[in-house]
Amino acid sequence: MNFASDNVVGASAPVLEAILRHNGGAMPAYGADPLTLGLTPRFRALFEHADLSVFPVTTGTAANALALSVMVPPFGLCLCHEEAHVMEDECGAPEFYTHGAKLHGLSGPGGKIAPDTLDRFLSGLPRHVKQMPARALTLSQLTESGQVYAVEEIAALARIAHAHGLTVHMDGARFANALVALGCPPAEMTWRAGIDILSFGASKNGALAAEAIVVFRPDLAETLEFRRKRAGHILSKGRFLAAQLDAYLDGDHWRANAAHANRMAARLAAGLAEIPGVRLAWPVQGNEVFPILPAGLDAALRRAGVVYHAWTSRSLAEGDRVGEGERMIRLIAAFSTTEAEVEDFLVLARRAA
Amino acid sequence: MNFASDNVVGASAPVLEAILRHNGGAMPAYGADPLTLGLTPRFRALFEHADLSVFPVTTGTAANALALSVMVPPFGLCLCHEEAHVMEDECGAPEFYTHGAKLHGLSGPGGKIAPDTLDRFLSGLPRHVKQMPARALTLSQLTESGQVYAVEEIAALARIAHAHGLTVHMDGARFANALVALGCPPAEMTWRAGIDILSFGASKNGALAAEAIVVFRPDLAETLEFRRKRAGHILSKGRFLAAQLDAYLDGDHWRANAAHANRMAARLAAGLAEIPGVRLAWPVQGNEVFPILPAGLDAALRRAGVVYHAWTSRSLAEGDRVGEGERMIRLIAAFSTTEAEVEDFLVLARRAA
Amino acid sequence: MNFASDNVVGASAPVLEAILRHNGGAMPAYGADPLTLGLTPRFRALFEHADLSVFPVTTGTAANALALSVMVPPFGLCLCHEEAHVMEDECGAPEFYTHGAKLHGLSGPGGKIAPDTLDRFLSGLPRHVKQMPARALTLSQLTESGQVYAVEEIAALARIAHAHGLTVHMDGARFANALVALGCPPAEMTWRAGIDILSFGASKNGALAAEAIVVFRPDLAETLEFRRKRAGHILSKGRFLAAQLDAYLDGDHWRANAAHANRMAARLAAGLAEIPGVRLAWPVQGNEVFPILPAGLDAALRRAGVVYHAWTSRSLAEGDRVGEGERMIRLIAAFSTTEAEVEDFLVLARRAA
Amino acid sequence: MNFASDNVVGASAPVLEAILRHNGGAMPAYGADPLTLGLTPRFRALFEHADLSVFPVTTGTAANALALSVMVPPFGLCLCHEEAHVMEDECGAPEFYTHGAKLHGLSGPGGKIAPDTLDRFLSGLPRHVKQMPARALTLSQLTESGQVYAVEEIAALARIAHAHGLTVHMDGARFANALVALGCPPAEMTWRAGIDILSFGASKNGALAAEAIVVFRPDLAETLEFRRKRAGHILSKGRFLAAQLDAYLDGDHWRANAAHANRMAARLAAGLAEIPGVRLAWPVQGNEVFPILPAGLDAALRRAGVVYHAWTSRSLAEGDRVGEGERMIRLIAAFSTTEAEVEDFLVLARRAA
């Protein structure tokens, strides 16, 4: 049993089939192929936005960093949650792609930035040439604590950001899981709420290696293709990226995958909640579960061969601190996690408790 | 018929099969999977080098630029042929990854730098803080004109470069085609001849999207993993990159593919040579053919639906200029080019001539 | 009366005289002049270090950023106090010169990093390619709160940093004020305590525009001259930078200037301490005074035309918070501050209180 | 006698006097002082342009590189003459400040780019994402060969550049010498002819260390102050930069200096022309003289202690090649070069010939 991440599993069957299906025959290289060209109308329809641009890449780090590279000048600040992936897990990719912009982390429970926190920070910023001016905000949907921003929260944050001259990015590495959780159309959770650029993740939810940078403001898209090229992120056989995204979207495969993963996470959470001494750091809203459990139970699960990450976070609410003799862990359900795996895990946990 | 490039075709069957074969089950993410870990011993055996490091990436541009990022400081010069891919076709990727190093192009027929040219340039460089010091040399094997550097030529160039304190890179986007042409072991054409880092191409010769940066000098490898990460070039599902490279190397698949492509190119060249008014800009040494032909023949071929690139070059030998009423074109044979396609093309060409 | 900073005043008479004295005659440009060449032996003698290198520049920001550019790779972390000048007041200069390294701020009272804090941070850093590795530590001497690191504190911090593979920089914008406060030789407060590179400030203490990057580790000096050139920080008429530094050091002019400024600050502090309702945020150790005073007194001083900065800081010790109805301000004494100015200010303050 | 450059001499008396005159009293730091604030109306009047912005810096390299940093994106090409100072003598400063843009050199006699050359290059540029798009043109006035672009030439070049979407920069390190040579108002030679940003040089013509970036297009000025700050090019005691520029412009001091230097150069040239075996590589138009002379004469002059640079250039017109037994040298007259020096030199040269 491996709940370490949603990227420890392979790709979904439809994604692999699409790769095979489009392998034959000659197609223009570097994204001039018909599959890649077809992504634009497809994403425009999906997001109900006539002018968006879409740039496929192979990794979430590339998607985020390229997005930020057109949003923040080298001398600008980019605001994010203090535990955001861009801040903690990308080895400085945003700094590399922006040529030295600075990420500034804001704190907040559940990995979420509260509108008030943002407003207070922006209003208090000194405006002297000695200080880097704030130019962008990036939100993670799901957050690093598995939480979902409500549409109104996104809208409130974007409103404040825009009022201060910032652009707004969404790191949607787990976009589908959040979308399914909210049950709203993609447009609602993004540009209608004020998102200017979205990193649309697919790798964690069934693709082999495919993400899409979706740019809702045409002026921000102007230089992205050059930047993508010089970053080495235009595949010569572009068809293979496009084929993955096509299969991912076909027949709501992506939503089905995410719904399944969310369901498995909810079941894990429900089962764990019944075990004495176990509580959740945050409510399960997507496909991530953060139990706080007795150290003995943690050890027993590991001894039994269950794979998952130990977790620490500054985003716990007051009063939720991990006590002596307790451990926080992270369990992630993937599109391919089976009910049997979940049941086996819960049986094991109950027995060990 | 499409001879535009060796990247207009898909991936080879064994490569796709390997992707399918390794899809099941959980594996650690970000290159900690057993397949990726297995690449090191495999490349060490292949190159007969106990200390090399290997870093898989998805594009040749990423491989080249990451390699140069550890060879040239931001204030250094990187020498290359004036028509090299890094100079003309990567939208400034080397400049991006090196943080502003300057590529300086040297001229020479057939896309090759002559040892004398290199020596004269390096000896004549002013050594004042106002001038960027030369720090690296990059050679393309095959060159942009489809030519192969002989092992002795590589060794002579590397000797001069090293004597002046430069490191030496080989852009092996078509490494297999050159290797097969020379019929020597990989070690001979690389580190034994003085190459410090190799971009080992696979995408053009059967892979879906896979290249490997092969570093022969351990000190140059120290920071590459961090640089690869912050460039967004570590796939979360690393197994899929490794699986491609494994299949590529299994059973000499890569050499068979390249040998076939080279043979198809030779046949194209031989057939064209028999047509009056057609000559070759350079001899065919790998899988690229550069015919100079009457404008009428060019037009007829295009009308018949043959796809290929028009070509211009400053690397023609004296006396080989493209005349009025002539056109230079580039034809590339891929691993998947069939004898039938070649024959059809030649029939067409003979008829049109 | 202007106590806003030690850079609101002009240059000292000896510095200006040196500029005039060396104006005549032809000298080689770009630092090949005899004055600039003479800086090396002079700084070597001053710092009792046979191998140091010295690179004059015109601003402290340039000195700091150039120093860090050879200490931190683009993917590395540079640790500093959370309120350090490099972090808050240089508009991202370190990020620019290092090509995207990240500054990470540590907290501590008085603008000082405690050895324990450093040790705990470094020991707790995850060592995965996703996280930027820590590579340098920069200390401000004086700190932003006007405090002085004792020699043993510097040594303890440097020992920890070196043990973790970091290099250590000292931002000595107010080096002379700190040195005079400690009463030790320059070598003690720098390389003997483990400092690898020093930004030796002179502009705030009498120079017109002159700082010196002093590099104690020869390997770190290797590329600095190229970096200085391409940053546009080599003056064509280099004599004028060297002349300032010469005059600054001649006859202990620099120490006399700093001692005077420190004395003026001490007198300001002593006088203020006698006024009811006024206390100091931190003890005066150099030439900076941080009174916390009644809002009414602050208003009265400003109305009387005294110029200084309002101040806020996260470096106050517990229990020292600025209360409702209080204000924290910063007063800085310069080399040219007169006793009369200090007395006038104190008279004014006493009267207003 | 030293004719090596116009930066081997000191500063002019009025410039030094201004520094002394403005030394007393407190002034706000970092360019908020009244002298610096006064530069804007002054340059607006001088250039007859109501919206220009002016940014003083200490070096020409900083002026050029900062100017280009707002004109060329990191993925863009900047066109210049192949022997331009930005290309050959700034150790990659433009690449540093633009974050990796590429300088592309065009050839042309006398260091000048011909409009036709520019037009042909721009029209022939491939427009694919693999190729860096051209975004700026920089012209040197005087050129590296001491030549002056006529106003119509500048206008023709700027027209072509603008038509292709490029911005146009003038490197005016010897702006005054060119302006005096043309006898036109500053506006004619700059923005009215299509220049978007000017590096206005003063250091070579009497200042101690002062240049000004003059931005004629308000949109290009928006981010320059942040970029200047993070490059460490805002002096804390900004008054000293402004004082130099003030004195430089007062009473036409700058034009007088340049006129004198040009006259001395003309006299050198006239005297040399009378010596058998001596000819000029290019006509003297400013303050630079490029004699081609017998090797024996060169040796004799050097033996006699005259200091100047040997010169080579690819900008010689056909038929002007330096023969066996000949040497090309560069002589530069400064604002402070005396008639006596010129006479002594000519006497020496006549005697040695």
Side-chain angles (χ1 to χ4, degrees), chain A residues 86 89-97, chain B residues 230, chain C residues 74-75 100 102 130 132:
Chain A
V86 289
D89 294 297
E90 301 187 346
C91 198
E95 289 86 348
F96 177 39
Y97 278 78
Chain B
R230 78 183 197 119
Chain C
F75 54 82
K102 189 187 290 210
K130 295 196 284 181
M132 301 173 82

Side-chain angles (χ1 to χ4, degrees), chain C residues 2 7-11 16 23 26-27 29 59 89 91 93 96-97 203 207-208 229-233 235 237 239-240, chain D residues 2 7-11 16 23 26-27 29-30 59 89 91 93 96-97 203 207-208 229-233 237 239-240:
Chain C
N2 190 317
N7 54 31
V8 300
V9 301
L16 289 176
N23 187 55
M27 290 188 196
T59 70
D89 295 297
C91 199
F96 177 38
Y97 279 78
S203 303
L208 186 147
K229 177 61 193 170
R230 79 183 196 117
H233 279 293
L235 292 195
K237 299 176 177 176
R239 65 170 91 180
F240 290 121
Chain D
N2 190 318
N7 54 31
V8 301
V9 302
L16 289 176
N23 188 54
M27 291 188 195
Y30 299 114
T59 70
D89 294 298
C91 198
F96 177 38
Y97 278 78
S203 304
L208 186 148
K229 177 62 194 169
R230 78 183 198 119
H233 278 292
K237 300 177 177 176
R239 64 171 92 180
F240 291 121

Side-chain angles (χ1 to χ4, degrees), chain B residues 51-76:
Chain B
D51 297 314
L52 68 73
S53 306
V54 55
F55 302 86
V57 291
T58 51
T59 70
T61 295
N64 288 338
L66 278 166
L68 295 180
S69 78
V70 296
M71 298 172 67
V72 197
F75 54 82

Side-chain angles (χ1 to χ4, degrees), chain A residues 216-235:
Chain A
F216 300 109
R217 256 182 54 188
D219 59 314
L220 294 176
E222 279 167 16
T223 71
L224 246 177
E225 192 63 352
F226 291 114
R227 294 177 189 269
R228 186 161 71 111
K229 176 62 194 170
R230 78 184 198 118
H233 278 292
I234 299 189
L235 292 195

Side-chain angles (χ1 to χ4, degrees), chain B residues 34 72 101 125 140 304 311 346:
Chain B
V72 197
L125 256 191
S140 306
W311 210 248
L346 290 175

